[in-house]
């Protein structure tokens, strides 16, 4: 509880209720037996100073004095926005054109309503809400056909239904930008997967490799990599690749920009990303073996390294990539005002096209940039025709596998 947190941070021992990963109640656990205070010497709890709680002079135990202190308050409107206002004023005194990222607690948790934001009062702001596949993150297992809708409080069965739920959650977040921030853009500020999935199945595979035990190679890994080492790495992280792909598919279904959490250059298998034992880094130095290989050290790369539109000379309608077939398709609309002087740019990684690729366009012309052999990719530059307003670009494997 909030009061429990106040007591713990002030050096009191507390009995805390614990729950299993599926929500069943376990026994209470005594926390902070050494009575360590989080406050610096000479300082005390800010909530105590506000009269929310105090110490009983007779028993020496903390007592709650004002349980209604936060009652009838709207966190977003009453607390968060005033903070953002002060913050942006301080930043823009130094960087007048700075763009502010607005992010509240995850919407699925129903902790705080997203407030209405006036663009005149909060200019150059972006809806940077975070989003995760909460079920996979919380229970530490990836189940393609099973998930849990936190917002609705019910199980979701079937891979199609899971995809629809995730897409719907992200659409709701995107709508915050258009409806509650007066048309501001949305960037999912944080998303990703834990690499401790399914009882550390990935780490167990890596340990086998380190002992010289050859792991079984999946058919997908043979498609993505020529070297035996990469085939084994991709096979070890097969479940993580599928989990990451499920997340990114949901983002793509809403034409959302996003930032993956995270890239940690100091990641270790023992301490993960170095904070609270979280382990979401897409890179691990312990997997890095070849400085000439841009893939070395990466985790779940086939899901992350995928075709996408870098720039679109128009308004995107849909952008989808199917990892199982390697088919990428971009659909967009153009107007006379936009024109076609600047081509649409598509990042095309060779990873998904071991035998080459074919590019199909509904109209206009395309060309390729020089191959980037270091990063194993090329840019496709598509100039659409001005005779039509809706355009489609498709990339597919030359020899379907």
């Amino acid at each position: 509880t909030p009061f429990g947190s106040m007591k713990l941070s002030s050096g009191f021992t507390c009995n805390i209720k614990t729950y299993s990963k599926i929500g069943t109640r376990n026994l209470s656990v005594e926390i902070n037996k050494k009575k360590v205070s989080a406050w610096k010497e000479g300082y005390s709890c800010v909530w105590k100073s506000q009269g929310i709680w105090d110490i009983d002079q007779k028993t020496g135990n903390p007592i709650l004095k004002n349980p209604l202190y936060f009652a009838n308050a709207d966190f977003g409107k009453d607390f968060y926005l005033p903070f953002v206002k002060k913050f942006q004023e301080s930043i823009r005194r130094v960087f007048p054109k700075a763009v502010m990222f607005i992010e509240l607690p995850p919407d699925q948790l129903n902790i705080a309503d997203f407030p209405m934001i006036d663009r005149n009062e909060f200019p150059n702001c972006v809806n940077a809400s975070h989003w995760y596949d909460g079920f996979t993150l919380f229970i530490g297992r990836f189940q393609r056909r099973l998930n849990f809708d936190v917002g609705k409080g019910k199980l979701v069965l079937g891979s199609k239904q899971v995809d629809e739920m995730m897409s719907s959650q992200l659409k709701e977040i995107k709508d915050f930008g258009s409806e509650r921030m007066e048309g501001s853009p949305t960037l999912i500020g944080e998303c990703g997967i834990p690499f401790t999935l399914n009882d550390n199945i990935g780490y167990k595979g890596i340990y086998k490799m380190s002992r010289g035990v050859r792991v079984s190679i999946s058919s997908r890994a043979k498609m993505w990599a020529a070297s035996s080492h990469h085939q084994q790495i991709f096979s070890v992280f097969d479940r993580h690749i599928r989990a990451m792909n499920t997340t990114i598919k949901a983002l793509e279904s809403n034409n959302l920009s996003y930032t993956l959490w995270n890239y940690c250059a100091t990641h270790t298998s023992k301490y993960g990303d170095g904070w609270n034992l979280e382990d979401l880094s897409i890179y691990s130095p312990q997997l890095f073996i070849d400085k000439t290989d841009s893939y070395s050290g990466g985790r779940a790369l086939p899901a992350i390294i995928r075709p996408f539109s870098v720039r679109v000379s128009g308004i995107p309608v849909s952008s989808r990539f199917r990892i199982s077939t390697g088919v990428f398709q971009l659909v967009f609309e153009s107007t006379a005002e936009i024109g076609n002087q600047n081509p649409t740019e598509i990042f095309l990684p060779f990873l998904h096209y071991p035998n080459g690729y074919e590019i199909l366009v509904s109209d206009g012309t395309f060309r390729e940039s020089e191959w980037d052999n270091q990063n194993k990719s090329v840019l496709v530059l598509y100039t659409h025709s001005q005779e039509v307003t809706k355009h489609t670009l498709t990339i597919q494997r030359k020899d379907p596998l």
Side-chain angles (χ1 to χ4, degrees), residues 239-305:
R239 192 171 294 268
H240 308 77
I241 292 168
R242 287 186 283 144
M244 183 70 83
N245 181 61
T246 300
T247 283
I248 297 179
K249 269 176 54 184
L251 292 156
E252 289 175 341
S253 70
N254 284 281
N255 290 329
L256 279 167
S257 298
Y258 58 91
T259 55
L260 287 175
W261 185 267
N262 64 56
Y263 179 97
C264 180
T266 56
H267 174 276
T268 67
S269 58
K270 184 175 182 180
Y271 296 109
D273 306 332
W275 188 85
N276 202 31
L277 296 181
E278 285 192 359
D279 196 333
L280 289 87
S281 177
I282 64 172
Y283 171 83
S284 177
Q286 292 174 307
L287 299 179
F288 183 83
I289 62 169
D290 184 357
K291 64 181 181 180
T292 66
D293 182 0
S294 57
Y295 294 164
S296 190
R299 306 198 290 182
L301 291 186
I304 299 164
I305 302 174

Side-chain angles (χ1 to χ4, degrees), residues 326-345:
V327 174
F328 168 81
Q329 187 172 83
L330 169 70
V331 180
F332 67 96
E333 295 178 344
S334 62
T335 65
E337 290 77 15
I338 296 174
N340 66 350
Q341 290 81 11
N342 299 309
T344 293
E345 298 182 11

Side-chain angles (χ1 to χ4, degrees), residues 291-295 350 371-377:
K291 64 181 181 180
T292 66
D293 182 0
S294 57
Y295 294 164
F350 303 147
W371 284 22
D372 183 345
N373 290 319
Q374 180 179 356
N375 293 314
K376 306 173 186 177
S377 62

Side-chain angles (χ1 to χ4, degrees), residues 5-181:
S5 299
M6 296 172 194
K7 291 188 290 183
L8 284 171
S9 66
S10 296
F12 290 93
T13 298
C14 294
N15 287 315
I16 304 297
K17 301 173 184 177
T18 63
Y19 294 83
S20 71
K21 289 184 176 181
I22 60 173
T24 57
R25 172 93 175 265
N26 293 330
L27 297 176
S28 296
V29 177
E30 191 176 46
I31 303 294
N32 200 13
K33 294 180 181 180
K34 295 183 179 181
K35 299 186 176 182
V36 177
S37 174
W39 297 98
K40 293 174 64 175
E41 187 175 350
Y43 294 84
S44 63
C45 176
V46 294
W47 304 120
K48 183 174 179 287
S49 69
Q50 294 297 311
I52 295 177
W53 68 281
D54 207 342
I55 299 174
D56 189 300
Q57 297 302 315
K58 293 182 180 180
T59 65
N61 295 324
I63 54 173
L64 187 60
K65 297 186 66 177
N66 188 358
L68 300 179
Y69 182 85
F70 294 104
N72 302 317
D74 184 315
F75 173 80
K77 183 176 67 175
D78 299 333
F79 303 127
Y80 182 71
L81 287 187
F83 164 75
V84 172
K85 192 174 180 70
K86 291 180 181 179
F87 185 88
Q88 72 171 3
E89 288 172 353
S90 297
I91 294 296
R92 285 182 175 142
R93 279 197 289 269
V94 182
F95 301 105
K97 295 182 179 181
V99 175
M100 297 294 155
F101 280 15
I102 302 292
E103 180 242 323
L104 274 82
D107 181 60
Q108 305 102 293
L109 300 181
N110 295 320
I111 293 175
D113 290 332
F114 200 101
M116 298 297 295
I117 297 177
D118 186 340
R119 289 185 68 174
N120 293 319
E121 191 174 3
F122 299 93
N124 292 338
C125 285
V126 172
N127 170 23
S129 300
H130 295 184
W131 178 85
Y132 285 90
D133 170 3
F135 185 69
T136 297
L137 186 69
F138 185 66
I139 71 168
R141 303 188 72 84
F142 175 65
Q143 305 288 345
R144 183 67 184 94
R145 298 177 178 84
L146 173 67
N147 212 289
F148 187 80
D149 191 327
V150 177
K152 295 180 180 179
K154 66 177 184 179
L155 285 172
V156 179
L157 302 175
S159 56
K160 180 181 178 182
Q161 288 74 15
V162 169
D163 287 344
E164 289 174 349
M165 177 202 70
M166 292 182 177
S167 182
S168 177
Q169 289 176 352
L170 284 162
K171 182 183 182 304
E172 186 173 349
I173 291 175
K174 186 177 182 180
D175 288 343
F176 290 159
S178 57
E179 298 174 4
R180 302 191 191 183
M181 294 179 66

Side-chain angles (χ1 to χ4, degrees), residues 183-234:
S184 296
T186 294
L187 165 78
I188 299 302
E190 192 177 303
C191 60
I193 64 162
F195 281 88
T196 51
L197 287 177
N198 294 63
D199 300 319
N200 287 306
I201 188 173
Y203 283 111
K204 291 175 182 176
I206 296 299
Y207 177 74
K208 286 182 179 179
M209 290 176 60
S210 70
R211 305 283 291 182
V213 178
R214 186 174 177 82
V215 300
S216 58
I217 306 297
S218 70
S219 58
R220 287 185 293 272
K222 291 178 181 178
M223 173 187 68
W224 291 321
S227 73
S228 173
H229 174 75
H230 278 313
Q231 287 179 358
Q232 291 185 75
I233 291 290
F234 291 161

